[in-house]
Amino acid sequence: MIFFAAPLISSLLNVGANWGLYIARYCLGSEEAASYVSMAVIIPTLIGAFMAVELCKKYDKFKVFYIPYVFALLLGIVRFMAGYENMTVYVILNALGGIPLGIAVILQYQFTPDCYEYGQYKTGLKMRGVPFAAQTFFTKLNGGIATAVSVFALTLIGFREGEGVVQAAGFADKLWTFSCLGGIIGGICTLLILRLYKLNDHDVQLMAKCNNGEISREEAEAQMINQ
């Protein structure tokens, strides 16, 4: 619940993630800008995914997962301060954001097996379907609620619906501020929630060995980092 709650809160608050076309139209001047940003993010995202695989060979995967969220938060603050007037700067900052995105995307589903091993270790019950069902449920919940919240947030800042409708003065600034601050606040909340997650690769491997009967519970706990 701790691990799945983090991306849920992030999705709810990061309304800007679903406002790409609106930001392109009202802040950057053309919807074509959204295509430029999407193309610029592709390569860094692939690089981030490759980095995740290599880094997990040397470091605990939770640290590899957590640190990019810190980087994404700092990048969001820089993006907010830089503003949207300079198209080149905007595209570059979004491209850099593709690196932590690639890391998060490839690792976010790697923790469900750990949660299963922990659950069996604590309860003695083999309920593999529960954490994987929760993973599917929260993935769909994130998408559905995030879209609804994004639409609701648009009404809060005075969005006028309709083709060719002229938005009120200052709408672009409100759109930019809400999209940036939502991501920043969501990033802070995500980092705080993830701090409650205490599993690590070393301890999970010991739990798995205990669950499989390879070592005793006493032997496992004697070697654990988080007692």
Side-chain angles (χ1 to χ4, degrees):
M1 293 301 293
I2 291 173
F3 186 81
F4 291 139
L8 176 62
I9 297 299
S10 178
S11 297
L12 290 179
L13 296 176
N14 189 17
V15 293
N18 293 313
W19 285 357
L21 287 177
Y22 295 101
I23 293 174
R25 177 187 295 179
Y26 298 109
C27 296
L28 304 179
S30 170
E31 291 186 3
E32 294 181 356
S35 300
Y36 302 147
V37 173
S38 298
M39 290 187 292
V41 170
I42 293 175
I43 299 301
T45 301
L46 294 176
I47 293 175
F50 177 78
M51 289 175 58
V53 175
E54 295 302 313
L55 289 172
C56 285
K57 295 178 181 179
K58 300 180 180 181
Y59 306 101
D60 185 271
K61 69 174 177 290
F62 181 76
K63 293 181 179 178
V64 177
F65 182 76
Y66 188 87
I67 293 176
Y69 269 94
V70 177
F71 179 74
L73 173 61
L74 296 176
L75 198 60
I77 295 173
V78 173
R79 184 187 296 115
F80 177 53
M81 296 176 64
Y84 57 84
E85 288 79 10
N86 191 315
M87 178 67 176
T88 302
V89 173
Y90 178 80
V91 172
I92 291 175
L93 291 176
N94 278 274
L96 290 175
I99 296 176
L101 174 64
I103 295 175
V105 167
I106 200 170
L107 289 183
Q108 63 182 343
Y109 299 121
Q110 303 302 313
F111 293 87
T112 306
D114 293 359
C115 296
Y116 163 73
E117 294 292 352
Y118 173 77
Q120 182 180 346
Y121 181 79
K122 293 290 289 185
T123 66
L125 302 175
K126 296 182 179 181
M127 298 184 293
R128 185 178 297 273
V130 174
F132 286 96
Q135 172 184 295
T136 302
F137 172 76
F138 274 97
T139 299
K140 294 181 178 180
L141 186 67
N142 285 355
I145 295 182
T147 301
V149 171
S150 297
V151 173
F152 176 70
L154 278 176
T155 65
L156 290 180
I157 61 176
F159 175 71
R160 297 174 180 175
E161 189 177 358
E163 190 66 29
V165 173
V166 177
Q167 302 298 329
F171 175 77
D173 290 335
K174 291 181 181 178
L175 187 70
W176 177 257
T177 300
F178 263 66
S179 64
C180 291
L181 291 183
I184 292 172
I185 296 173
I188 294 173
C189 292
T190 298
L191 291 174
L192 292 176
I193 294 173
L194 287 177
R195 292 293 296 176
L196 301 174
Y197 185 86
K198 300 300 182 181
L199 293 180
N200 58 73
D201 290 341
H202 177 267
D203 290 357
V204 170
Q205 289 175 7
L206 291 172
M207 291 178 187
K209 289 182 179 180
C210 180
N211 292 337
N212 294 330
E214 299 175 23
I215 59 176
S216 67
R217 190 181 188 88
E218 291 73 19
E219 290 175 311
E221 294 186 355
Q223 303 175 60
M224 286 185 182
I225 296 174
N226 293 330
Q227 295 292 330

